[in-house]
Amino acid sequence: MNSVAHQPPQIARANGIDLCYEIFGDADAEPMLLIMGLGAQMIHWDDDFCRQLAARGFRVIRFDNRDIGKSSKLSGGNRLTPLELLKLRFLKIPVAAPYKLRDMAQDVIGLMDVLGIKSAHVVGASMGGMIAQEIAISFPQRVRSLTSIMSTTGNPKVPPPTREASAVLMAPPPATKEEYFARFAQTWKILRAGSFPQDEALDRARAERTFERGLNPAGVGRQLRAILASGSRKERLASVKAPTLVIHGTVDPLVRPEGGKDTAASIPGAKLLMIEGMGHALPIPMWPQIIDAIDKHAHGAAAKAA
């Protein structure tokens, strides 16, 4: 593996808040923004995953969303209750939220402005995919290509998470460091939906790094509220002009495979890649397939635009 240029984490003042970001790859390479999911710090885009993408000719930028990791912590919004979820599902009573996905999309645009990036390849996973979709809808001129991974449109007709995956989402925060490490391993075992020894061997180190960068359970709650309060993007996705790739696992327990299919069906000309045996995670054995697909899609979009 060639060593690629790497800038250590820095803080940018964007959209009125501080965002912690990190860059892999050459300054003149095609910019690619990686947006992580609910309660997930930027390091969930694994260092080696970022390096491998950078080695394909991209300037890879990962960052902590608001309310997570080293980015600004906001306030307000109590822990989500099962009653609110029931009201949303059956009575269509919206969930209250201190901010929505549109605000998180504006954070990304603010970060691009600080970095002097007019347009970029935008790659989002899970909630990050929802934010990426929102950017493609609301700020079309800023998106060279869109890749939405294990995400959905917010369409309420998409099947809900499995009971096990829902329990992970709604579990109260761990009380101690050791409990956090145990929960981390258990959560990823459920979300990966299968046996991935390479990843399981890294769970402890990944949990330690996440813990050291700082947890913010209240922030995760606000992010969840943002998703639920933002409603469906399905109709608006019809306006997306950016070349779009949708990647989804066939056994995703959290955002069901139908979520990816619905996303691809809602965006004109979108390509759909279903990865056999992939759950709600980016396991190491599946990186080659995922990185190849992102690389081919983004470089293909760049060649067409040239």
Side-chain angles (χ1 to χ4, degrees):
M1 204 49 224
N2 302 342
S3 72
V4 293
H6 175 221
Q7 292 178 27
Q10 297 173 67
I11 299 287
R13 188 78 185 164
N15 196 24
I17 59 169
D18 289 336
L19 293 180
C20 180
Y21 70 95
E22 191 170 4
I23 301 177
F24 299 80
D26 297 326
D28 53 359
E30 292 263 330
M32 179 175 281
L33 276 150
L34 304 182
I35 312 175
M36 230 326 132
L38 174 70
Q41 299 183 12
M42 67 177 180
I43 55 174
H44 277 83
W45 295 110
D46 195 280
D47 297 11
D48 283 335
F49 184 92
C50 295
R51 283 189 202 106
Q52 287 180 37
L53 268 177
R56 303 289 184 101
F58 297 105
R59 181 187 185 203
V60 176
I61 300 141
R62 65 179 181 183
F63 67 97
D64 287 323
N65 283 308
R66 58 167 66 197
D67 255 338
I68 204 80
K70 300 276 188 193
S71 289
S72 287
K73 313 284 188 287
L74 284 85
S75 60
N78 297 327
R79 212 178 141 65
L80 197 72
T81 65
L83 181 62
E84 283 178 285
L85 287 175
L86 288 171
K87 282 179 171 173
L88 175 69
R89 194 161 168 203
F90 296 109
L91 304 174
K92 306 287 179 273
I93 296 171
V95 165
Y99 55 81
K100 294 187 179 178
L101 293 175
R102 164 84 194 212
D103 299 295
M104 299 180 83
Q106 283 175 306
D107 295 347
V108 183
I109 296 299
L111 177 60
M112 289 172 71
D113 289 345
V114 169
L115 296 175
I117 297 170
K118 284 201 171 71
S119 65
H121 301 286
V122 180
V123 179
S126 197
M127 177 186 76
M130 302 173 194
I131 296 168
Q133 292 169 24
E134 188 59 58
I135 295 168
I137 294 165
S138 300
F139 306 96
Q141 70 288 1
R142 309 300 294 263
V143 181
R144 297 185 191 189
S145 74
L146 167 65
T147 303
S148 180
I149 305 173
M150 54 191 181
S151 194
T152 184
T153 58
N155 176 2
K157 293 192 175 76
V158 168
T162 64
R163 188 168 295 169
E164 246 192 331
S166 282
V168 162
L169 213 57
M170 299 303 285
T176 65
K177 188 173 174 175
E178 277 311 315
E179 199 186 315
Y180 172 75
F181 291 159
R183 172 82 61 83
F184 187 96
Q186 177 202 5
T187 296
W188 285 105
K189 196 169 177 55
I190 291 166
L191 295 182
R192 283 193 290 256
S195 173
F196 294 94
Q198 272 177 289
D199 289 273
E200 286 155 26
L202 290 172
D203 276 341
R204 177 80 186 199
R206 285 171 171 173
E208 283 176 356
R209 190 174 176 197
T210 304
F211 189 88
E212 275 161 24
R213 294 183 83 246
L215 305 180
N216 185 24
V220 180
R222 284 188 287 275
Q223 289 184 351
L224 183 55
R225 284 183 175 277
I227 293 172
L228 296 170
S230 295
S232 175
R233 290 169 296 287
K234 188 169 173 64
E235 307 295 317
R236 293 160 64 230
L237 284 167
S239 71
V240 171
K241 300 277 190 291
T244 300
L245 170 66
V246 176
I247 301 175
H248 216 100
T250 58
V251 294
D252 191 327
L254 189 65
V255 180
R256 304 299 276 280
E258 290 84 353
K261 291 171 183 169
D262 192 51
T263 305
S266 305
I267 298 173
K271 295 178 294 211
L272 176 64
L273 170 63
M274 297 298 295
I275 297 185
E276 198 56 48
M278 181 169 109
H280 199 77
L282 301 169
I284 295 166
M286 289 162 185
W287 286 3
Q289 203 181 345
I290 296 165
I291 289 169
D292 277 348
I294 295 172
D295 172 24
K296 194 175 153 196
H297 174 63
H299 279 314
K304 258 194 197 138

